[in-house]
Amino acid sequence: MTEVGGNRCNFAICIYKSLHDYYNSRNDNFQLFSDNAMNELHVWDRLWVNARLVTMTIGHGEYGLIESGAIAAAGDSISWLGSMDALPLDVRDKTPDIIDVKGRCITPGLIDCHTHLVFGGNRAREFELRLKGATYEELLQAGGGILSTVNATRQASEEELLAAAKNRAEALKREGVTTMEIKSGYGLDVETELKMLRVARRLGEEDPQLDVKTTFLGAHALPPEYAQDRTAYIQLVADEMLSRVYVENLADAVDGFCEGIAFSPEEIEQVFVRARELGMDVKLHADQLSDLNGAALAARYGALSADHLEYTSEAGVDALAQSGTVAVLLPGAFYVLKETQKPPVELLRRYQVPIAIATDANPGSSPVLSLLLMLNMACMIFSLTTEEALAGVTRNAARTLGLLDDRGTLEAGKRADFVIWDIAHPSELAYMIGANPCAGIVKNGKPVAR
Ligand code: NIG
Ligand code: FE
């Protein structure tokens, strides 16, 4: 029977017992705690029982599943989990809040590790044009695409951007997202890039149910005012923009769009060199529409993740494996752009590159606000197994954000972020389309929804 965190628990019980014995052995006059007060001393704040625990830990069978399990929180951490049989009854009896989840599944809080959630306007009219035959590349080259969102984002106030992003975040949260990443990249000037990142930071700070990691994506597209001078724009990104972002502590990582319609590997490298000098993590939109050896470039700089990867070669996959870079697959963008070349999933498996899945929520290539739908698409379109897909929005997504020590699996000592699902088996999460079986969310040890 799998039991995680038993040692820590035994240690806690030990402390409790010795306190109890110590105070009870004292002369009445000196007794500091009455038996009543002693009963109020508890080790766990909250305990969920009769759960199917989908721990997503490696080496504990499929999904790291504990069929009949219980999970406890103390403060904001998981203090114990294991099978019901192994529940220490004396500690259980002292737990003030016990919740019977009646056989429901509990997974780690979901992590959407690649989004562009902060933006002005939308691109529904462009969607119409694409349906009539215009391509994504043509629209961008004609000053639309990403650049039309840049216009709308520059014009929007910080409050307007925040209100719109909050709305979108609500949709993701309803499906159990407790952590997400948000990129800049629709400002492409110093003030608007900083404005986007401030909004992304505020989104996390003002919401007790959500943690946000921010990523600076100044190298997303060439803004019109630099159309004649690419070199100057890349210098602006690598020097002034990046320095301001760093000094104001607005980003946790630095990203770029390495593509024919965006920036060359050499241009991206100038940004990465500076980011690494500042000690910042990097990641890359790589090989989405063509193979520019983006995956290998990301790997060379020790990137946390390389994202999209439709055109990545075997050498690129090998490079990712060597550097421990996570492959982030984005089925929403693949679907919306009607791509035909799929990412090299079989090679990623063979080289044991961890795979994450994300919404890529953005107004152009992936107007997607459902991470559960991405699980289904990852299985249906990219042929992932349901377990690989779930690992892609938990364990491996945590890794892309440098958070695996803290979340992404259910383990004692990790943050108590988890989701209670009205399902009998974790495969149901990827299987159903449009159902939202989320029956409860626990963030930092506290029930926050439903
Ligand atoms: O991840 N690939 C580049 N950036 C986004 C698209 C942004 C947009 O179209 O607005 C992406 O797909
Ligand atoms: Fe993206």
Side-chain angles (χ1 to χ4, degrees), residues 114-116 183 217 220 255 285 307-308 330 360 362 365:
H114 179 143
T115 86
H116 307 249
K183 302 172 195 297
L217 178 56
H220 193 198
D255 196 348
H285 285 70
D307 304 42
H308 290 286
L330 304 165
D360 194 11
N362 77 64
S365 67

Side-chain angles (χ1 to χ4, degrees), residues 113-156:
C113 69
H114 179 143
T115 86
H116 307 249
L117 207 71
V118 173
F119 58 83
N122 71 56
R123 306 229 291 272
R125 302 308 300 266
E126 260 181 31
F127 176 62
E128 292 183 322
L129 292 175
R130 275 195 286 114
L131 290 173
K132 288 182 184 145
T135 68
Y136 186 66
E137 287 93 333
E138 283 164 2
L139 289 167
L140 180 60
Q141 271 145 10
I146 294 175
L147 296 179
S148 77
T149 302
V150 169
N151 271 333
T153 306
R154 286 177 178 178
Q155 279 164 32

Side-chain angles (χ1 to χ4, degrees), residues 237-263:
V237 172
D239 295 341
E240 191 183 342
M241 279 189 197
L242 197 42
S243 304
R244 290 278 303 272
V245 166
Y246 177 77
V247 168
E248 297 182 34
N249 188 24
L250 285 172
D252 304 302
V254 176
D255 196 348
F257 186 16
C258 184
E259 193 58 65
I261 54 168
F263 297 102

Side-chain angles (χ1 to χ4, degrees), residues 368-382:
V368 168
L369 293 174
S370 169
L371 193 56
L372 292 180
L373 178 60
M374 296 305 97
L375 291 189
N376 179 270
M377 284 193 181
C379 296
M380 291 302 299
I381 304 177
F382 295 162

